[in-house]
Amino acid sequence: MKTRVVIAGYGMAGARLAEEIRRRDPAGERVAIVAIGDEPHPPYNRVLLSNVLAGAMSAESVRLQEEGWAVAHGVEVWRGREVVSIDRDGRRVTLDDGTLIGYDVLVLATGARAWVPPVEGLIGDDGELAPGVTTFRTLDDCAAIAAGARGGVRVAVLGGGLLGLEAARGLAARGNEVTVVHPRGHLMERQLDDGAGQVLAQVLRGLGVRVLLNSRAARYLPGDGLKLDDGRLVEADLVVVAAGVRPQTAQAWAAGLDVEGGVLVDDDLRTSDPWIHAIGDCARHPGTVPGLVQPAWEQAAALAALLTGTRSPYRGTKVVTRLKASGVDLAALGDVHAAPDDPRAEVLWLSEPARGRYAKLVVRDERVAGAIALGVPDAAAAITQFYDRGLPVPPDRLALLLGRAMPYGEGAAPGGGNAAGLPGASVVCRCNAVSKDELVAAWRSGARDLTALASATRATTGCGTCTDTVCGIARWLAQSEKAEAAGTAHAQS
Amino acid sequence: MRAATSTRPADAAVGADGTAVDTHCPYCALQCGMTLSPAGRASVRVRPRDPSAGGLCQKGWTAAALLGSPARLTTPLVRDGGTLRPASWDEALGLVARRIKEIAAERGPDAVAVFGGGGLTNEKAYLLGKFARVALGTSQVDYNGRFCMSSAAAAAHRAFGLDRGLPFPLADLEGADAVLLAGANPAETMPPFLSHLRRAMDAGGLIVVDPRRTPTAERAALHLAPAPGTDLALALGILHAAVADGRLDQAYVAGRTTGFEEAWRVAAAWWPERVERVTGVAAADQRRAAAILAEAASAYVLTARGTEQHATGVDTVGAWINLALALGLPGRLGSGWGCLTGQGNGQGGREHGQKADQLPGYRRIDDPAARAHVARVWGVEPSALPGPGRSAFELLDALGTAGGPSALLVFGSNPVVSAPHSARVADRLAALDLLVVADIVLSETARAADVVLPITQWAEEDGTLTNLEGRVLLRRRALAPPPGVRTDLEVLHDLAVRLGQPPERFPTDPETVFTELRAASEGGPADYSGVTLDRLRAGERLHWPVPRTPGHQGTPRLFLDRFAHPDGRARFAAVDHKGPAEPPDEEFPLYAITGRVLQHYQSGAQTRRVEELRAAVPEVYVEVHPDTAHRAGLRHGAAAAVVGRRGRVLATVRCVPSMRPDVVFLPFHFPGAQRANLVTNPALDPVSRMPEFKVCAVRLSPAGEREAQ
């Protein structure tokens, strides 16, 4: 008999779950899927919204599924609808239009919603965001921001976390005058230490983003901007609220499921009700932190495996934070707050504010425990590989921290300029394995030009890219012979 | 120092006495032109014919050493009481024909199998396929090119409707400002090729994708070193970066392609930062690669074995083609996608019928029209032609099993060294009732044979080969073969006649065979009907297809007007990253990758017998990061065991600081316990049936230590 799986929420987690189930059960022989999404759009990739905001991608190009995917794959999708209550005994859900849908298994993939801080005036009397205020979470938010941010208007971004900074960078790139208002002493305080936060602020300022730290908004004044609690006014025509998100757990809570900052789940993504699972931003698994897509997708894969009959427990996801903002290359992972004098860790750090670079590496038990890499993209890539795979770090920690942990140019055939300094055994013509020593020997035996050297040694007769080097060696030999002769002549005179 | 000093160019000038013959190098698909000046068998002089188009590498210069090698076979050998003893041709061929008849009578025609090679001339490959289908009546024929070009071929077919390694002349690359090489190391595998990339190198436009910092990567402006088996993700990341940064060629995509939407849905989920975590290639470097290719006036994407020899090889090549299509490169003058063919006749070898699913002219064996055409040329009923058979590894894997062949004829291949999971292959060969090997030396596979047939080699025969750009070349005989040696065509003729075939059906004269091949290929995708040896002798540069139409000059550039699909459009492929079939784990924590060194070619059967090359690289080694070696208790020069699930390779440690610490590299040219393919994984691509040569999981330990069971 088919299992009827109802997915509450059809965003990045819910849509992925449907795809992962159909990858394992393409014809729908084992699992029937009903998905309920509250947004009017087909599912889209939230990670790419900063590209949409920056104008680099269209709403169409961030769709997760091609037109007609759900129909072609036998997935019943209810768009613009929301689950408002769960009847656990009757195993059915009620939608906001009163529709009742029964399930064998319910999956909560309701995600998270933007949190609006209690700043006076942000929310109007009708309970909606005031005119000129928008959150940054959905495709509709993007459209609202884009519409409001036309013509180089002034924008205040409330919140200097990951999302706020991506929005700020995107808007600055569109020619807006952008101010980030952040209540803490440094940006992205969850993911960065103070030093990195300060360098990041400097990098953003260099890109035309104003950054106000230790600044709390007290009041929104439509048409003027944000009044801060110290009395300053941040002039803004548009306020983008990016102060964090809250998981959508109201229905789970009401249904009596265990909720603690998210719906609690085990390694089978199962909630306290055996027939209800939860994945993505609405779920809390002890092995990861919410807010990023990778855990959501890994959870979707694990749950799809379980629902199609092959248990594949989810053990958590190591999280790496990457700021997606053009002109800024930032990665942060693990324990970034360890102090240099931490007795249980090796901590290396390097700050080069003038070039917008900051790098920190925390090593425990020969493994990467945490790192920050700002402005050193290849170090970020290498450190992440060691971190993800739990590989022992190289003994030369500094090389890893600086990037290009791999020395470059070892054994490369050098150019023609430094023929004298080239070691004798080094291979000049790789195609024919001809060393400098062999060329020198051939020259001394009378091969005095390129053609003769090529005849005698085969150097340059392969791809020919060593020709300059061989000419350089010939020149150097001719010069040193001339110098010797001059020296001899001088001595004789 | 070099022993074969007589082959130096200085000597070549001395020997130029009017007997010089223009031919081509016996090794890779570049097929460099060379002139041979025979002054007696022991001192054939070699010199490059056209240095402006690239000269010769060390292998080419020393190629003549094998002509006079004492290792050369000059008499048939027959197994007798466990050892191989010399026999007459009559005895050897009589034995082979008798055993074939017995085995086929007992177990049916498919009990006899044929294994060919990508080094065989077009004529040999053609006649071998015909011999299998007509004289043996077997469907069980495939060749080592399956281990070489099959993934690129399948991906090119899917994207463009036609597969020709480079769909443009090689010399076009000389105008390129940017070239991305994916899994290619031409500085070692086809050194003179680099001469065509000078402009790109000078312009800072060479991008090399390789987990290892190869001599080719050292010359690149941008070296991307993905974790083994993650090339597909990398290609998706670069495509994503290209689209996100506004570099998509929208007019080209709209006008000349289909399927972008579906391909983009996949690539959209692979933003560069996500790809960075999977591949280890910095997101910034992915963006830079996209920028270099998109901003160049002339750009090419070229793939080779490093990215193709995977269980996801077809999809991986498809991902690189997607990138090229998104940037509007294929089918335009001065840009494109191409594949660097490996073996000397890797291109022609796959076109003329030694592949399990194909007939001459690159026709499908399951296409009724193709069967009818070829059957007519061969003078048989279409219904008499067998259908598709097993692919190379599946064929080798089935040998000596209940449902598999019990006899095998091998021409131009050394699968004991070159096939994946080679210990298994050696076991399968040992289980045969009859193994016949035609070769020039006693290769590792020949040593296992019941009958060994000594055949001619490159400088002793006429024929044609098709190089990496789809151009048909003349191989010319420079000297007579040693007494006792026969050509492959003669061997096939003699066997066919003994099996009851009319003698005229299996000609021994290469030109006669070529004339028949032209007719068989006529109207097929790889149409050779307009190629004549006279045209080639006159120096015409003919790229197929060359129909018989009077005045047709061949097709140097394919796809300029339309692609070969019925709608004329190229197809994006919606391909997704899966990762290697055998990822590292606690027991086997390292990736092993395999490849070639400059001095050796394929299984090394030829090059290990050339003293200068053998002396340069005498034995297998394992390249490893010094830290990784240290952790395994090894130092530079130590004897190591590279241990995987299927076997262990004994190799000398070479500490190389530029290696990724999670990767070891093994060259695959060496025999016995040094065979890299003892550990490689025979997981097959679902479409091309290409084995996953390029990544498997291993651990490293000192060679002396007993392995935990």
Side-chain angles (χ1 to χ4, degrees):
Chain A
M1 216 190 84
K2 269 199 222 183
T3 310
R4 183 173 164 89
V5 174
V6 171
I7 306 173
Y10 204 53
M12 291 197 75
R16 186 72 162 201
L17 176 65
E19 291 167 24
E20 293 281 2
I21 290 173
R22 280 295 170 259
R23 196 192 298 253
R24 292 164 177 80
D25 176 33
E29 286 157 350
R30 284 171 283 164
V31 179
I33 305 173
V34 181
I36 299 141
D38 62 347
E39 291 192 55
H41 312 282
Y44 56 86
N45 189 337
R46 217 180 288 285
V47 175
L48 304 179
L49 288 185
S50 54
N51 296 50
V52 176
L53 193 65
M57 284 187 186
S58 66
E60 162 60 23
S61 70
V62 300
R63 280 178 58 167
L64 285 169
Q65 297 166 349
E66 63 218 64
E67 188 79 47
W69 183 90
V71 173
H73 291 81
V75 176
E76 183 184 335
V77 178
W78 295 62
R79 221 179 262 175
R81 288 277 171 277
E82 200 176 348
V83 170
V84 291
S85 69
I86 305 165
D87 172 4
R88 288 169 57 186
D89 294 331
R91 285 211 241 160
R92 56 188 190 174
V93 295
T94 308
L95 306 192
D96 50 358
D97 64 352
T99 308
L100 288 170
I101 298 178
Y103 64 82
D104 297 320
V105 172
L106 173 65
V107 180
L108 301 175
T110 47
R113 287 208 175 145
W115 178 67
V116 180
V119 174
E120 198 182 332
L122 284 182
I123 294 183
D125 297 337
D126 56 356
E128 301 290 319
L129 289 171
V133 177
T134 172
T135 50
F136 179 41
R137 174 76 187 165
T138 66
L139 207 45
D140 287 344
D141 289 343
C142 274
I145 295 171
R150 279 215 189 92
V153 303
R154 300 162 303 174
V155 183
V157 175
L158 204 50
L162 190 67
L163 217 53
L165 297 184
E166 288 184 3
R169 176 68 186 109
L171 288 165
R174 290 168 65 123
N176 295 108
E177 193 180 298
V178 182
T179 307
V180 173
V181 179
H182 190 57
R184 306 298 179 88
H186 70 264
L187 295 172
M188 289 178 68
E189 70 282 349
R190 259 175 60 200
Q191 296 94 354
L192 301 182
D193 65 4
D194 183 62
Q198 302 303 342
V199 176
L200 176 60
Q202 192 172 318
V203 170
L204 288 167
R205 287 181 184 122
L207 292 167
V209 176
R210 223 172 129 216
V211 178
L212 300 180
L213 299 171
N214 292 312
S215 300
R216 278 172 192 78
R219 190 164 180 201
Y220 170 59
L221 303 168
D224 293 332
L226 285 176
K227 194 89 173 171
L228 305 186
D229 62 357
D230 61 6
R232 284 179 296 170
L233 176 73
V234 177
E235 293 184 355
D237 311 302
L238 174 70
V239 174
V240 175
V241 178
V245 297
R246 294 292 178 268
Q248 275 275 89
T249 56
Q251 298 82 359
W253 176 262
L257 299 177
D258 291 347
V259 175
E260 254 179 61
V263 185
L264 299 182
V265 294
D266 63 13
D267 287 359
D268 287 325
L269 290 317
R270 205 182 299 273
T271 68
S272 52
D273 180 324
W275 305 108
I276 305 179
H277 298 261
I279 57 174
D281 282 354
C282 71
R284 279 302 167 274
H285 181 277
T288 191
V289 298
L292 294 167
V293 67
Q294 197 191 353
W297 283 2
E298 290 179 9
Q299 290 166 0
L303 182 55
L306 181 76
L307 296 177
T308 51
T310 324
R311 185 166 175 261
S312 164
Y314 173 74
R315 307 282 190 208
T317 304
K318 286 183 170 179
V319 165
V320 176
T321 304
R322 290 294 253 115
L323 181 68
K324 290 182 73 259
S326 131
V328 190
D329 201 293
L330 171 63
L333 51 92
D335 172 13
V336 298
H337 295 290
D341 58 356
D342 186 332
R344 292 171 303 108
E346 291 173 60
V347 180
L348 290 81
W349 63 269
L350 179 90
S351 181
E352 191 189 13
R355 297 188 67 180
R357 296 201 280 210
Y358 185 91
K360 180 174 185 176
L361 178 65
V362 181
V363 175
R364 286 203 176 95
D365 303 326
E366 293 285 301
R367 304 295 195 277
V368 174
I372 300 170
L374 173 57
V376 274
D378 50 333
I383 291 169
T384 303
Q385 294 263 299
F386 282 102
Y387 178 66
D388 273 343
R389 299 191 33 212
L391 299 172
V393 296
D396 187 351
R397 321 286 206 230
L398 187 59
L400 180 62
L401 186 70
L402 294 177
R404 301 286 177 229
M406 304 175 192
Y408 269 56
E410 298 251 336
N418 54 350
L422 192 60
S426 61
V427 174
V428 173
C429 170
R430 195 178 274 281
C431 298
N432 282 291
V434 183
S435 67
K436 177 183 164 190
D437 280 345
E438 287 179 82
L439 285 161
V440 171
W443 198 84
R444 299 227 157 105
S445 311
R448 295 299 166 105
D449 60 17
L450 184 64
T451 316
L453 284 168
S455 270
T457 65
R458 298 183 204 143
T460 73
T461 64
C463 69
T465 56
C466 63
T467 305
D468 288 351
T469 310
V470 173
C471 289
I473 289 172
R475 258 197 318 277
W476 162 67
L477 287 167
Q479 279 160 5
S480 47
E481 191 179 65
K482 213 184 287 173
E484 259 172 51
T488 313
H490 197 71
Q492 283 169 349
S493 67
Chain B
M1 291 308 293
R2 297 186 179 84
T5 49
S6 66
T7 60
R8 298 268 169 125
D11 304 317
V14 177
D17 55 6
T19 58
V21 173
D22 287 346
T23 186
H24 294 267
C25 176
Y27 298 113
C28 80
L30 201 54
Q31 287 293 297
C32 298
M34 56 167 54
T35 301
L36 301 182
S37 308
R41 166 162 294 277
S43 57
V44 174
R45 277 131 194 174
V46 171
R47 65 193 146 88
R49 178 137 45 89
D50 183 9
S52 67
L56 292 175
C57 73
Q58 200 174 2
K59 290 191 292 286
W61 277 113
T62 58
L66 201 57
L67 292 167
S69 168
R72 187 70 189 279
L73 292 174
T74 53
T75 175
L77 303 173
V78 168
R79 190 163 297 280
D80 195 348
T83 56
L84 287 169
R85 64 158 171 83
S88 70
W89 274 99
D90 202 44
E91 182 192 355
L93 293 173
L95 173 64
V96 172
R98 193 181 77 244
R99 295 291 293 127
I100 286 174
K101 280 192 244 179
E102 289 169 2
I103 289 167
E106 189 184 332
R107 304 192 50 231
D110 277 356
V112 182
V114 173
F115 199 81
L120 300 176
T121 61
N122 289 324
E123 294 75 14
K124 295 178 188 179
Y126 168 81
L127 207 66
L128 187 63
K130 180 180 179 183
F131 175 82
R133 270 68 178 247
V134 176
L136 298 175
T138 183
S139 68
Q140 302 297 300
V141 50
D142 214 58
Y143 80 126
N144 65 18
R146 186 72 73 170
F147 300 154
C148 193
M149 310 314 304
S150 60
S151 285
H157 261 295
R158 188 162 71 180
F160 308 122
L162 185 64
D163 155 50
R164 198 182 87 189
L166 297 182
F168 47 80
L170 183 59
D172 280 7
L173 291 173
E174 286 163 17
D177 299 307
V179 175
L180 182 146
L181 295 175
N185 181 17
E188 292 198 89
T189 59
M190 47 173 61
F193 172 84
L194 282 199
S195 66
H196 301 287
L197 302 186
R198 276 194 197 180
R199 182 183 165 107
M201 287 191 279
D202 290 347
L206 181 62
I207 306 166
V208 172
V209 177
D210 199 309
R212 198 164 59 104
R213 193 159 177 82
T214 62
T216 310
E218 277 170 0
R219 292 162 180 263
L222 183 60
H223 173 208
L224 309 178
T230 66
D231 293 25
L232 207 170
L234 179 60
L236 292 169
I238 300 174
L239 173 61
H240 186 108
V243 172
D245 294 342
R247 305 182 187 283
L248 181 69
D249 187 335
Q250 289 172 335
Y252 173 95
V253 168
R256 298 206 57 188
T257 72
T258 59
F260 174 74
E261 286 305 315
E262 292 77 6
W264 170 249
R265 284 305 153 225
V266 183
W270 288 100
W271 55 95
E273 288 78 8
R274 182 175 179 226
V275 169
E276 173 181 303
R277 272 190 90 172
V278 170
T279 62
V281 175
D285 284 346
Q286 297 169 47
R287 296 197 173 92
R288 202 172 139 214
I292 289 173
L293 289 173
E295 287 167 9
S298 166
Y300 291 84
V301 174
L302 304 176
T303 64
R305 304 309 81 67
T307 212
E308 297 164 7
Q309 289 177 325
H310 292 274
T312 55
V314 176
D315 282 356
T316 303
V317 176
W320 292 117
I321 293 176
N322 284 352
L323 174 63
L325 290 172
L327 297 172
L329 308 182
R332 275 182 171 171
L333 194 62
S335 68
W337 172 87
C339 144
L340 298 182
T341 302
Q343 296 191 76
N345 198 29
Q347 181 71 51
R350 67 184 185 268
E351 298 163 4
H352 297 300
Q354 59 174 332
K355 210 171 168 184
D357 47 3
Q358 288 186 340
L359 290 171
Y362 227 149
R363 292 177 152 95
R364 294 175 59 100
I365 202 167
D366 56 6
D367 170 7
R371 294 171 66 87
H373 173 85
V374 173
R376 192 162 57 245
V377 174
W378 287 353
V380 298
E381 285 301 313
S383 59
L385 297 178
R390 290 182 177 88
S391 74
F393 184 77
E394 290 163 305
L395 176 58
L396 296 172
D397 194 46
L399 296 174
T401 63
S406 49
L408 179 71
L409 282 64
V410 178
F411 287 78
S413 189
N414 187 12
V416 167
V417 175
S418 63
H421 194 181
S422 48
R424 162 82 184 166
V425 170
D427 285 350
R428 292 296 91 223
L429 293 177
L432 288 168
D433 294 333
L434 175 68
L435 174 61
V436 180
V437 175
D439 210 328
I440 59 173
V441 293
L442 198 61
S443 71
E444 288 70 22
T445 305
R447 282 177 207 285
D450 300 296
V451 180
V452 181
L453 304 172
I455 48 161
T456 50
Q457 60 172 309
W458 121 100
E460 300 159 356
E461 58 191 25
D462 289 320
T464 64
L465 293 93
T466 306
N467 75 353
L468 77 171
E469 53 182 344
R471 185 157 64 90
V472 186
L473 307 173
L474 264 187
R475 169 181 281 188
R476 291 200 239 214
R477 176 168 150 151
L479 72 169
V485 164
R486 293 187 182 176
T487 69
D488 304 68
L489 299 182
E490 287 166 345
V491 170
L492 292 172
H493 172 90
D494 290 348
L495 279 177
V497 170
R498 283 166 199 265
L499 291 170
Q501 290 291 312
E504 65 279 7
R505 190 175 273 169
F506 289 89
T508 58
D509 167 47
E511 186 156 3
T512 310
V513 177
F514 187 71
T515 303
E516 188 184 308
L517 179 160
R518 291 169 53 205
S521 75
E522 185 164 12
D527 188 336
Y528 282 42
S529 59
V531 182
T532 65
L533 296 193
D534 283 340
R535 291 181 77 176
L536 297 178
R537 286 185 197 110
E540 283 194 67
R541 298 171 78 84
L542 298 173
H543 300 253
W544 67 254
V546 193
R548 211 183 281 273
T549 325
H552 198 288
Q553 298 298 305
T555 316
R557 294 175 189 85
L558 293 164
F559 314 138
L560 289 181
D561 302 320
R562 61 192 313 280
F563 294 99
H565 286 303
D567 61 2
R569 288 167 176 260
R571 294 178 186 166
F572 279 90
V575 292
D576 205 349
H577 172 68
K578 291 188 189 71
E582 186 180 70
D585 56 19
E586 286 190 3
E587 195 184 354
F588 301 104
L590 300 169
Y591 295 103
I593 61 176
T594 64
R596 279 160 55 175
V597 303
L598 192 150
Q599 283 79 10
H600 290 294
Y601 184 67
Q602 306 300 72
S603 76
Q606 293 151 278
T607 51
R608 283 186 278 113
R609 290 172 172 87
V610 174
E611 178 52 26
E612 180 180 329
L613 302 177
R614 196 205 62 76
V617 187
E619 56 170 18
V620 76
Y621 55 85
V622 55
E623 279 188 10
V624 54
H625 190 282
D627 293 348
T628 308
H630 179 75
R631 289 201 171 90
L634 291 161
R635 52 179 66 201
H636 190 82
V642 181
V643 185
R645 285 192 173 78
R646 290 159 295 279
R648 48 190 278 158
V649 184
L650 298 177
T652 305
V653 172
R654 266 196 199 178
C655 283
V656 178
S658 63
M659 286 295 285
R660 286 177 61 110
D662 54 352
V663 173
V664 301
F665 167 77
L666 290 165
F668 61 70
H669 312 288
F670 302 93
Q674 301 184 28
R675 277 175 291 173
N677 283 321
L678 289 168
V679 296
T680 50
N681 186 359
L684 301 183
D685 185 285
V687 176
S688 67
R689 318 309 284 166
M690 167 74 83
E692 185 140 292
F693 282 106
K694 283 295 187 267
V695 51
C696 65
V698 298
R699 66 170 177 266
L700 196 60
S701 65
E705 277 178 25
R706 188 146 295 284
E707 290 298 324
Q709 291 302 306

